[in-house]
């Protein structure tokens, strides 16, 4: 088959402010070009898009950066380009609720009781959004219509799990999207080095590390990890990630100082993260939204037991975290504690090799290429 030219269209700061969507895009590009007759260019804006009008098709990333995404959709229509769409989405209500409590009321103590008021607060916010049609506020008419437009116009949808597709249908009032969907898993690099050593000597001296890799922010819920283990100060906690919410980070550090034996690493080379996963006893991600959380996949691949949030917050069934990890309620520090202590007592969980093949970039590239073939043929 002749070489296909594909234009990846994404947010304008994807390469300067890298997130999970950036990793997914660049790894997909790497494995597609390595294994299939595909040439890929990246568009970060309309000018880039127009430079590559000879592309056979367009692959748009990310429903959350909706205004940029809609501009690419309009350009596809104008220049008669078919497009695939990697949605990269999950229910944002818990993220918005908890960030709202922290930023508006300085309320940091997210717990089971605060969960009880979540639906009330979110319904009030949604009602205000619908009443005022206030910009792109979550749940407003504008918010829903913009995203529904992209989902309806996309030729093929490429969500990262079946659960993600269900959320898209539910939140944006659509049915039957599976007919034009190929689920493409988030993935781990099977060639990640197993020989990299930790460069930080003090880390090598710690034993039974409970690790969390992720930005310091309410969504990643580091405070619940510290609270969960506040009566077990002998267990070292290591957080790896830059501060994304200063107010929340100050609260987490206050809890950490009171407990002791909590360590913060702002940044670490990606290869060295795999060495840290291998060193750690448990990786915990009691997040309020993940799809599914690359760090959980990477930790499993590295032989580290994992704790992940339950199905409301993470696609635990599609990624089989409920089979190969411990599941917790992120609002409940006791639930987080029970899951961590259970994971610490277990032997290292070893999913079969076929598991990682299913969630590999090679597999993700195969499924993505299948979508391209459908559109070209």
């Amino acid at each position: 088959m002749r070489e296909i030219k594909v234009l990846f269209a994404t947010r304008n700061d994807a390469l300067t402010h890298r997130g999970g969507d950036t990793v997914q895009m660049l790894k997909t590009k790497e494995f597609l070009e390595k294994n299939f007759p595909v040439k890929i260019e990246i568009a970060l804006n309309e000018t880039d898009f127009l430079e590559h009008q000879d592309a056979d098709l367009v692959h748009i990333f990310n429903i959350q950066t909706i205004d940029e995404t809609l501009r690419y959709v309009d350009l596809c229509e104008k220049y008669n380009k078919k497009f695939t769409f990697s949605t990269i989405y999950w229910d944002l209500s818990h993220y918005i609720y908890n960030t709202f409590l922290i930023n508006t009321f300085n309320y940091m103590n997210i717990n089971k009781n605060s969960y009880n008021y979540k639906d009330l607060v979110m319904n009030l916010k949604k009602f205000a959004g619908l009443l005022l049609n206030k910009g792109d506020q979550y749940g407003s008419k504008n918010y829903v219509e913009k995203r529904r437009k992209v989902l309806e116009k996309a030729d093929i949808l490429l969500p990262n799990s079946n659960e993600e597709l269900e959320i898209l249908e539910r939140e944006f009032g659509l049915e039957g999207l599976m007919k034009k969907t190929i689920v493409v898993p988030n993935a781990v690099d099977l060639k990640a080095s197993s020989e990299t050593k930790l460069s930080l000597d003090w880390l090598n001296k710690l034993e039974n590390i409970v690790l969390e890799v992720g930005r310091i922010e309410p969504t990643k819920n580091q405070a619940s990890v510290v609270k969960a283990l506040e009566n077990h100060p002998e267990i070292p906690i290591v957080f790896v990630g830059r501060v994304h919410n200063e107010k929340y980070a100050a609260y987490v550090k206050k809890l950490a100082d009171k407990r002791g034996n909590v360590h913060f690493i702002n940044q670490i080379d990606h290869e060295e993260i795999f060495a840290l996963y291998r060193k750690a006893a448990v990786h915990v991600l009691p997040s309020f939204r993940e799809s599914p959380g690359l760090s959980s996949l990477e930790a499993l691949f590295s032989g580290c037991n994992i704790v992940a949030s339950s199905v409301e917050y993470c696609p635990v069934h599609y990624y089989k975290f409920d089979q190969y990890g411990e599941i917790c309620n992120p609002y409940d520090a006791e639930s987080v504690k029970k899951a961590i202590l259970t994971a610490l007592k277990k032997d290292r969980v070893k999913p079969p090799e076929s598991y990682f093949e299913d969630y590999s970039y090679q597999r993700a590239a195969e499924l993505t290429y299948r979508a391209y073939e459908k559109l070209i043929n």
Side-chain angles (χ1 to χ4, degrees), residues 60-338:
I60 301 175
F61 289 80
N62 211 332
I63 200 171
Q64 293 179 60
T65 51
I66 191 62
D67 290 328
E68 290 175 280
T69 296
L70 280 171
R71 279 197 289 275
Y72 291 130
V73 171
D74 290 341
L75 286 166
C76 286
E77 283 195 310
K78 182 176 181 179
Y79 294 100
N80 197 29
K81 300 291 182 187
K82 291 184 176 181
F83 73 94
T84 60
F85 185 34
S86 290
T87 47
I88 312 177
Y89 191 73
W90 196 257
D91 177 356
L92 296 173
S93 62
H94 298 280
Y95 153 73
I96 292 169
Y97 173 59
N98 292 319
T99 304
F100 174 73
L101 290 181
I102 288 167
N103 290 343
T104 307
F105 300 108
N106 206 34
Y107 184 82
M108 303 286 177
N109 188 27
I110 306 300
N111 55 39
K112 285 191 294 185
N113 290 330
S114 55
Y115 176 82
N116 294 333
Y117 297 98
K118 180 249 178 186
D119 287 344
L120 173 64
V121 171
M122 290 308 298
N123 284 333
L124 287 172
K125 282 177 67 65
K126 283 184 181 181
F127 179 72
L130 290 167
L131 196 65
L132 302 172
N133 198 16
K134 187 179 176 183
D136 201 29
Q137 179 174 302
Y138 180 79
S140 69
K141 182 180 179 183
N142 217 19
Y143 179 93
V144 171
E145 286 183 350
K146 282 182 175 182
R147 287 155 181 81
R148 185 160 55 207
K149 177 182 175 181
V150 183
L151 294 169
E152 288 176 332
K153 288 184 177 293
D155 294 287
I156 295 181
L157 298 173
L158 305 174
N160 291 140
S161 66
N162 294 325
E163 293 98 319
E164 182 180 338
L165 183 66
E166 290 167 9
I167 287 171
L168 290 167
E169 289 191 326
R170 184 172 70 244
E171 286 206 11
F172 304 114
L174 295 166
E175 293 180 356
L177 291 182
M178 182 53 83
K179 294 174 186 174
K180 64 171 186 177
T181 290
I182 296 175
V183 175
V184 177
N186 229 318
V188 65
D189 190 347
L190 299 182
K191 289 189 166 37
S193 174
S194 60
E195 298 176 2
T196 308
K197 305 295 182 187
L198 286 172
S199 61
L200 300 169
D201 288 338
W202 61 269
L203 274 173
N204 284 312
K205 296 173 184 174
L206 299 178
E207 298 296 334
N208 284 328
I209 293 171
V210 170
L211 172 68
E212 180 174 352
V213 175
R215 298 183 303 187
I216 310 295
E217 62 180 12
T219 302
K220 301 297 184 185
N221 201 19
Q222 286 89 354
S224 276
V225 179
V226 182
K227 290 176 188 175
L229 297 177
E230 64 182 346
N231 295 322
H232 296 271
E234 74 283 0
I235 300 172
I237 300 172
V238 176
F239 293 126
V240 178
R242 62 185 173 84
V243 171
H244 192 247
N245 183 308
E246 295 283 353
K247 193 182 289 189
Y248 181 74
Y251 174 65
V252 174
K253 286 175 180 175
K254 183 179 178 182
L255 292 174
D257 289 343
K258 181 180 177 183
R259 176 195 185 265
N261 204 12
V262 180
H263 312 271
F264 295 84
I265 302 172
N266 182 51
Q267 201 165 350
I268 193 170
D269 180 78
H270 194 64
E271 287 298 312
E272 196 167 346
I273 284 179
F274 284 92
L276 186 48
Y277 288 136
R278 292 192 297 274
K279 169 71 176 172
V282 174
H283 180 270
V284 55
L285 190 59
S287 175
F288 291 107
R289 63 171 290 267
E290 294 294 338
S291 62
L294 279 176
S295 56
S296 294
L297 275 176
E298 291 174 345
L300 260 184
F301 174 68
S302 304
C304 181
N305 289 355
I306 66 165
V307 172
S309 293
S310 54
V311 67
E312 190 174 350
Y313 317 94
C314 175
V316 296
H317 300 319
Y318 181 80
Y319 289 92
K320 302 179 183 177
F321 291 164
D322 51 344
Q323 292 182 40
Y324 298 116
E326 300 301 316
I327 303 302
C328 71
N329 175 356
Y331 281 97
D332 184 357
E334 278 298 313
S335 171
V336 177
K337 173 184 171 181
K338 182 180 177 183

Side-chain angles (χ1 to χ4, degrees), residues 1-2 4-9 24-25 28-29 31-33 36-41 56-61 82-86 156 158 182 184 364-377:
M1 185 177 177
R2 70 174 179 86
I4 302 171
K5 182 174 179 180
V6 181
L7 184 60
F8 278 10
Q24 182 174 330
M25 178 185 72
T28 301
K29 179 180 187 295
F31 279 77
L32 278 169
E33 292 185 326
F36 300 97
V38 178
K39 173 62 178 171
I40 294 167
E41 300 290 347
D56 295 295
L57 58 94
V58 178
H59 184 158
I60 301 175
F61 289 80
K82 291 184 176 181
F83 73 94
T84 60
F85 185 34
S86 290
I156 295 181
L158 305 174
I182 296 175
V184 177
E366 288 171 6
L367 291 166
T368 304
Y369 184 71
R370 185 185 300 173
Y372 298 166
E373 282 188 310
K374 274 190 170 187
L375 294 189
I376 293 298
N377 295 332

